[in-house]
Amino acid sequence: MIPGIHVSVNGGLEKALDTLTELGLPCGQIFTSNQQQWKARTVKEVEVERYKSRTATIISHTSYLINLASSNKRVVKLSVPALEAELERIHILGIKWCVLHPGAHLGAGEDEGIKKISSLTRKILLNSPSDTGILYENTAGQGTTLGYTFGQLAQLLEQTSIADRTGICFDTCHAFAAGYDLSSEQAVREALIKFNSTVGIERIKAFHINDSKNECGSRKDRHATIGEGLIGLEPLRYLASMPEFKEIPGIAETPGTDSDRAQDIEKVVSPY
Ligand SMILES: [Zn+2]
Ligand SMILES: [Zn+2]
């Protein structure tokens, strides 16, 4: 696994690259726009120049407001251009993948929600630069959020049906909270066997490496510092050491500062 962190972009997107250099990390995840606002941000020339000449592997995370499954028409109407704008920004920055929370159906039903997300994502991708793609992130299954079972992730990929521009960002805290035990090496192996037979592990293009404050199956999404949660350090180290994931980013989204997260991911990805 390539060690990375969710890295702050306070002061400009190029600051994230400086921070990664300072922390000695080859990989990071950024927000390319304010994640709590609908208003799209345009990328600055200086940011483009720095990103074009970077050596770090960067992925982006889309706005938390986007919900393609919403039964509220206004939210969908805002979500579609927001996701299109994200794909346009990452294209300009030379970033391949953005991570997307599939969405919450808010009562319309799970199958209906998945259908909606997939068909809109497909349309958006076909409308966007072909060097960009979307990673559906597995969720904890809080409320009516979708993508908390491996089966739902498989459905999303299958129905979106643009294989080379879609994949999965596998969040360890979310999977654990959704009911997939990851708290021992054996449990990690079993979860991955399940994932592989349902989705295919080759579809994983990034990991979010987080420990969990809540127990397995709680369906509550609260990230813990690595080693201080209910998953624990050793199973995450085991996962990070798997040769299948040698070239895959492993991003810590744990509490605290960029430097706290760097310490977290270094514990996980240091030689096994
Ligand atoms: Zn995550
Ligand atoms: Zn989370």
Side-chain angles (χ1 to χ4, degrees), residues 35-50:
Q35 74 278 17
Q36 312 280 14
Q37 285 177 15
W38 284 115
K39 194 178 173 306
R41 179 183 182 281
T42 40
V43 175
K44 299 193 189 85
E45 197 51 47
V46 45
E47 295 171 331
V48 177
E49 271 167 36
R50 286 290 310 278

Side-chain angles (χ1 to χ4, degrees), residues 29 61 99 101 137-138 169-171 174 208 210 223 253:
Q29 172 182 277
H61 197 298
V99 175
H101 295 176
E137 178 170 2
N138 66 307
C169 175
F170 189 106
D171 188 305
H174 298 176
H208 285 167
N210 302 310
H223 303 183
E253 291 177 316

Side-chain angles (χ1 to χ4, degrees), residues 38 66 68 75-85 120 124 127:
W38 284 115
I66 293 176
L68 297 174
V75 172
V76 175
K77 232 178 148 178
L78 289 163
S79 295
V80 170
L83 188 50
E84 284 173 345
L120 285 172
I124 291 165
N127 241 335

Side-chain angles (χ1 to χ4, degrees), residues 156-190:
L156 286 165
L157 292 174
E158 200 175 301
Q159 292 181 25
T160 309
S161 192
I162 310 180
D164 58 335
R165 297 182 62 200
T166 52
I168 298 296
C169 175
F170 189 106
D171 188 305
T172 54
C173 168
H174 298 176
F176 184 74
Y180 298 100
D181 186 17
L182 298 172
S183 63
S184 66
E185 286 188 16
Q186 180 62 23
V188 169
R189 266 196 297 273
E190 282 168 18

Side-chain angles (χ1 to χ4, degrees), residues 240-259:
S241 75
M242 296 179 78
E244 294 90 327
F245 303 130
K246 196 163 179 265
E247 304 298 332
I248 304 293
I251 307 282
E253 291 177 316
T254 47
T257 61
D258 288 342
S259 122

Side-chain angles (χ1 to χ4, degrees), residues 56-71:
T57 303
I58 303 287
I59 62 173
S60 89
H61 197 298
T62 58
S63 163
Y64 294 139
L65 300 176
I66 293 176
N67 183 6
L68 297 174
S70 181
S71 41

